[in-house]
Structures are given as C-alpha cells and as structure tokens.
Amino acid sequence: MTTNRRSGPHRPATIPDVAREAGVSRSTASRALADYGSVSPEARERVRAAAQKLGYRPNQLARSMITGRTHTLGAVVADIQNPFFAGVTRGITDAARAAGYQVLLANTDEDPAAERAAVKTLRDRHVDGLIVSPASTTDTAHLTAAHTGGCPVVLLDRRVPRLDLDSVTVDNHGAAQDAVRRLLAVGHRRIALVSLVGNDATDDPVDPGSTGLARMAGYRAALREAGIENTGTYLRTGAFHGQDPALLARDLLDSPEPPTAVFATDSLVALGVLSAARELSLRVPEDLSVITFDDTDWARAVRPRISVVAQPVQELGAQAVRALIARVEGGTHHPEHTTLPTEFIERESVARARTRR
C-alpha cells in the first residue's frame, strides 16, 4: 500500500505539497498563497485550487515573519459591561473581519495600570495596531511608546489632545448642552447631572479628551446660558469606577430641594437614577424627567420609554478600524480627528417642570 505523501493522513499539507499539486515551484506557490510578489493569474489560480484540494492552512506565524504583519488588531476598551462599549466592540470586530483582520480584546475598567498592561500584552502578541479608549488623558506614555515603536494607535471615544494620533468620537459637549437645553425649554431649572466620571468640585472641567468631563462642561454651559450660575448644586459624580449610581441619585432625589430633572451621562447611570426614583416612589416623568446619553434596548422597552442622546456606537468602532487599517497599510497623512453625529430621540420621559416640595 502506498501513502499519498502530498497530503498524508497524519500531517497537514505544506507549501511543497501545494506546489507539486499545482505544478509550480515552491517559491511561486509561496508568493501566490501569501499574495505578494509577481505571480501570473493562471499560476495563482492553480495554486489556490491545489491548496483547497489538499486542505492547506497557512502557517500564520511564518507568514507574519515574511510580511511583518499578523492581521490582528488589539482593542482596549473601558468597560465591556457597558452597552455602549458592547456596541462599539461589535462594530470593531465586524469591520475588522470584513477587512481580513482578527481582533484581540482587553477590558480596563477605567484603570490606567490595567490599560498599560493590556497594551504591553497586545504588543507582545505583535498586533498590527491598537484601538484604545484611554482611561486617562495624562497617563499616556505607553500609547506614545506604541506609536513611536511602529504600532499604530487610534483613540476611540476619548481624545488626548497632546498626542499626535488619529481619534474617533462624537461631540459630547454639544450633545450634552443640547439635551439640557431641552429640559430648560420645558421649564426645568433644578436639573441634575449624575456621572461616574469627573469631579463635581471643579467648576470649569474643560478637558476635550475626557468624555465625562466634556458632557459635564456641556451641562454647565447650558445652565449658564439660562442664567443659572451655581452649576454645581445638582451635579453628582462618582469617586471611582464601579460605584453604584443609584446611591448618587438617591442622595439628590431625597434632598430638601430635589431636582425636577436628571441628565444621566450614560445608560448604566440612568438605570441607577430610575432605581433610586422607584425606591422613593417618584414617577417618571410626572415627578422627575430623565434624559440619558446612549440608546439601549431597555430604554425603548421600559414604560415610559426614555428620551436619549443616541450615539452611532457600531459606526464609531467601524470608523476606528478603518482609520487604523489605513495606518497599518502605510498611510502617512496627518492624524485626523473624526467626529460622528449624535441624534436626540424624544420619547416619554420628559414633562413640563413642576415642584415636588
């Protein structure tokens, strides 16, 4: 009995096997399979047909040593439990797969040390580039090192103005300002902001790199436009990531002069606000109007449905992938900041202001 040496039953097919099957040299088969160099269309088609027939699978490690690329991208996000980042990650993976790339994902829980470790691990895996939602706008030496070390970096959802990197965000300041203006337009003056990011002791938190601070600045700007100078009265922010937003909201809603409306900076905060309102037997919107950043399934399913600032979450991820692949594939243009539009979706959670106490 003879054994077919080209694709023997106990070992995978190799490039020499494919070359013999296609009737070409090993170097021609290698170039055709790796899609580089000069190969005639006829020879390329024969090699691909032979590879399919023999069940050839490329050795990605060897291929990466030849091409210098692994066709993998690293994505470092702040909180995969947050529906926003879940949607963004879906956009990243779909766009990467369509372009022939795989994605390695890391979660930081807004911890700069975890982010540094994730970036190191992904660079050790030789990813072709990184998409990062930075946990800090100051602790960024590791991002600079990656960029200068030949690993392109695109910032997602947050900017670091002093870093010369591509970034993809929305206009957080403008969207928050618009949302608060809508509450002011129906008579609300005691408008609260609840967030797990920022510092409510800072009266002018203008940091274009921080999503939370940009939304807070938009909130304050809208209040000042309406003649409300003490913009910190109804502002509550968490001291650390993972703090229960319901506790922050309850402190506000159970105060002697409670707010009549709340602007939540993300959907997880909004859930905490609604939980606190229910605990205090407050009705939405009769006793409390609510607007949140981010549209989620639950915001459409609850009654009343929640008015939201909707972000194009999947498109944010997809745009970041496109910007990164352009760099990976040799783009040398000046770093670009892409700002995608938000949409205010009016539902049933906002009513005209009335005094509870």
Side-chain angles (χ1 to χ4, degrees):
M1 178 182 295
T2 61
T3 300
N4 184 343
R5 295 181 58 197
R6 291 176 297 182
S7 58
H10 303 300
R11 67 174 180 85
T14 63
I15 287 179
D17 296 333
V18 173
R20 281 192 293 269
E21 181 68 30
V24 299
S25 68
R26 291 175 58 176
S27 60
T28 296
S30 180
R31 290 195 301 273
L33 291 169
D35 200 22
Y36 75 94
S38 176
V39 181
S40 70
E42 180 186 358
R44 190 183 306 276
E45 187 59 35
R46 291 207 313 272
V47 168
R48 289 177 176 174
Q52 183 174 6
K53 176 181 177 181
L54 299 177
Y56 170 77
R57 297 177 62 84
N59 183 325
Q60 293 296 342
L61 178 59
R63 182 176 180 181
S64 68
M65 292 176 67
I66 295 171
T67 64
R69 288 165 53 187
T70 62
H71 280 82
T72 58
L73 307 176
V76 183
V77 300
D79 182 4
I80 57 175
Q81 185 179 5
N82 188 316
F84 168 77
F85 284 109
V88 163
T89 301
R90 179 58 186 264
I92 290 172
T93 55
D94 285 356
R97 183 169 56 248
Y101 288 78
Q102 296 298 314
V103 176
L104 299 179
L105 177 66
N107 183 71
T108 68
D109 286 330
E110 302 283 9
D111 180 357
E115 179 179 301
R116 290 193 298 272
V119 167
K120 180 182 184 304
T121 298
L122 291 169
R123 291 188 67 192
D124 288 346
R125 297 285 186 92
H126 299 285
V127 295
D128 293 330
L130 291 165
I131 295 171
V132 182
S133 294
S136 169
T137 58
T138 57
D139 187 352
T140 57
H142 55 294
L143 301 180
T144 300
H147 173 65
T148 58
C151 182
V153 179
V154 171
L155 304 182
L156 174 64
D157 185 48
R158 294 99 184 256
R159 293 183 65 190
V160 181
R162 61 191 183 85
L163 291 185
D164 207 21
L165 301 173
D166 297 304
S167 59
V168 183
T169 69
V170 300
D171 179 7
N172 289 286
H173 183 288
Q177 188 172 12
D178 174 72
V180 176
R181 283 171 176 164
R182 292 172 185 271
L183 293 170
L184 289 161
V186 291
H188 292 280
R189 304 285 290 180
R190 303 202 310 249
I191 302 171
L193 178 142
V194 181
S195 175
L196 292 182
V197 179
N199 179 3
D200 57 10
T202 302
D203 191 49
D204 191 22
V206 180
D207 179 349
S210 167
T211 298
L213 292 182
R215 293 174 188 175
M216 193 184 306
Y219 160 83
R220 290 182 183 270
L223 295 183
R224 290 192 182 110
E225 281 181 347
I228 302 172
E229 291 302 323
N230 190 354
T231 61
T233 301
Y234 294 104
L235 196 158
R236 295 293 184 276
T237 63
F240 55 89
H241 179 73
Q243 185 171 355
D244 185 357
L247 297 178
L248 294 173
R250 183 182 174 91
D251 174 62
L252 275 168
L253 300 179
D254 203 27
S255 61
E257 264 196 310
T260 60
V262 174
F263 173 56
T265 57
D266 67 51
S267 61
L268 293 181
V269 170
L271 281 173
V273 170
L274 295 177
S275 176
R278 176 175 293 182
E279 191 176 338
L280 295 170
S281 300
L282 300 178
R283 298 166 299 164
V284 176
E286 293 86 353
D287 301 317
L288 183 71
S289 291
V290 176
I291 293 176
T292 184
F293 234 94
D294 296 332
D295 194 17
T296 61
D297 291 340
W298 70 259
R300 298 185 293 272
V302 298
R303 294 295 181 271
R305 298 179 302 161
I306 307 300
S307 296
V308 301
V309 178
Q311 301 187 77
V313 289
Q314 293 195 23
E315 181 57 24
L316 280 165
Q319 182 63 38
V321 168
R322 288 192 285 269
L324 183 58
I325 290 176
R327 292 292 179 190
V328 168
E329 296 184 349
T332 58
H333 53 280
H334 189 75
E336 298 177 350
H337 173 59
T338 302
T339 304
L340 299 184
T342 60
E343 177 187 6
F344 186 83
I345 302 177
E346 184 175 357
R347 295 187 179 126
E348 299 97 30
S349 63
V350 175
R352 293 201 65 84
R354 73 180 196 178
T355 303
R356 284 201 282 126
R357 297 180 186 176

